[in-house]
Amino acid sequence: MTAPAIDTALVERLIAAQFPAWAGLPVREVDSAGTDNAMFRLGDEYAVRLPKADWAAGQAEKEQKWLPRLAPHLPLPVPVPVGHGVPGEGYDRPWSVSAWLDGDDAYDAPITDLAHAAVELGRFGVALRAVDATGGPASSRGGPVTGWEEGSMAPAVRALGADGTLDAAAVTEAWESALRLPAWQGDPVWLHGDLLPGNLLTRDGRLHAVIDFGCLSAGDPAVDLMAAWSLFTPDTRPLFREAAEVDDVTWARGRGWALCWGIVTEHYYRGKNPVLAAVAHRTWKQALPEYGN
């Protein structure tokens, strides 16, 4: 049987069947460059997220379990689930309904007060790490960056070097430096795992909320430091670093993530998802010069 299209009609059928109190509320698709979930607005108060790919099928259940426990401890608003959808109407994955958070994503509506955002996002990471992570899910983004890239870095460097996008020799030297860093030795801590501009909401030019916890896991917090290079500038990066309260080696591993994630992601998505490819390009371009210091 062919899977149904993930569109407003499907969402209307799912809501009517599983949450009849909300049946009849207008459903509008939310434009997003996200690769894992389709997002819809349900009336004025709710957001509906449906996984688009098999690898994202467990994200709804994970967010249902953990976000209500984490949200009270965090200094920025996050999505709070209000409904747990199950497979139905030909759609074969769990899905979720959460309270709608006002704002625009930081790619479409860039943060203008980066100094404020640097401090707020750094403090967000500290608060997230402070919550007991016992039993938290593991993921490749909670371990060494090599566990995530699985050998994709070298061919990406060759391809982007061949077309003049990057200096392959300089990147290779920086990457080898990142690979020599000591691994995380602490207990696993909570990490968002995907703190990119598209997963941050802005209001009036300021950071307002953090969304999309599909990569939520417990492990090395270094991946959440990628925001230093995907979002911030050389003059606001130190504010984020100070507020994030991490040691030098963890910061360096975060820079390694920014370099590797940026290059591998640009290579993979440059012909498929121009928004994500642009964020990735910006991320490694900001990180690479720091290896010369």
Side-chain angles (χ1 to χ4, degrees):
M1 181 175 67
T2 302
I6 301 178
D7 55 18
T8 56
L10 173 64
V11 175
E12 288 169 352
R13 294 197 304 272
L14 287 167
I15 292 295
Q18 299 183 31
F19 301 101
W22 298 332
L25 291 177
V27 175
R28 293 161 284 172
E29 186 167 7
V30 178
D31 186 33
S32 169
T35 58
D36 290 359
N37 294 275
M39 175 82 76
F40 297 83
R41 189 164 185 180
L42 176 63
D44 293 327
E45 298 183 31
Y46 307 111
V48 180
R49 270 164 51 92
L50 294 90
K52 294 190 289 188
D54 288 341
W55 69 76
Q59 292 183 7
E61 292 174 307
K62 178 169 60 177
E63 293 179 348
Q64 290 281 338
K65 178 178 181 179
W66 293 107
L67 277 177
R69 307 185 195 187
L70 293 171
H73 303 282
L74 302 177
L76 290 169
V78 300
V80 178
V82 296
H84 189 179
V86 298
E89 304 301 316
Y91 180 75
D92 62 356
R93 300 170 184 137
W95 51 284
S96 64
V97 183
S98 62
W100 177 261
L101 292 173
D102 283 329
D104 299 297
D105 75 65
Y107 181 86
D108 291 331
I111 296 169
T112 55
D113 192 344
L114 284 175
H116 170 267
V119 174
E120 290 300 303
L121 195 59
R123 291 174 176 169
F124 178 88
V126 173
L128 184 60
R129 297 196 305 270
V131 181
D132 183 7
T134 301
S139 80
S140 61
R141 295 191 180 190
V145 65
T146 50
W148 171 82
E149 58 94 17
E150 295 184 326
S152 298
M153 181 66 164
V157 171
R158 286 195 297 270
L160 295 179
D163 67 16
T165 300
L166 53 74
D167 180 335
V171 169
T172 299
E173 182 178 359
W175 177 232
E176 290 174 349
S177 172
L179 293 178
R180 292 193 292 269
L181 293 168
W184 172 252
Q185 298 298 319
D187 293 332
V189 296
W190 282 115
L191 50 104
H192 177 279
D194 207 22
L195 288 179
L196 301 175
N199 294 332
L200 304 173
L201 295 184
T202 67
R203 226 167 44 179
D204 300 323
R206 284 194 158 198
L207 176 63
H208 170 62
V210 178
I211 61 173
D212 195 344
F213 283 74
C215 291
L216 178 73
S217 62
D220 177 3
V223 68
D224 277 354
L225 301 175
M226 276 206 301
W229 299 275
S230 66
L231 182 65
F232 298 116
T233 55
D235 58 329
T236 55
R237 204 166 292 138
L239 298 174
F240 175 67
R241 179 175 183 175
E242 181 179 5
E245 298 180 11
V246 294
D247 59 46
D248 291 346
V249 176
T250 303
W251 182 259
R253 284 198 308 276
R255 184 168 54 228
W257 266 98
L259 181 75
C260 178
W261 178 87
I263 289 169
V264 170
T265 301
E266 179 177 7
H267 177 239
Y268 183 80
Y269 282 110
R270 60 181 175 170
K272 305 173 184 179
N273 187 323
V275 171
L276 193 53
V279 173
H281 182 82
R282 198 260 189 197
T283 301
W284 73 257
K285 286 282 284 186
Q286 287 283 314
L288 182 60
E290 295 189 8
Y291 283 95
N293 296 331

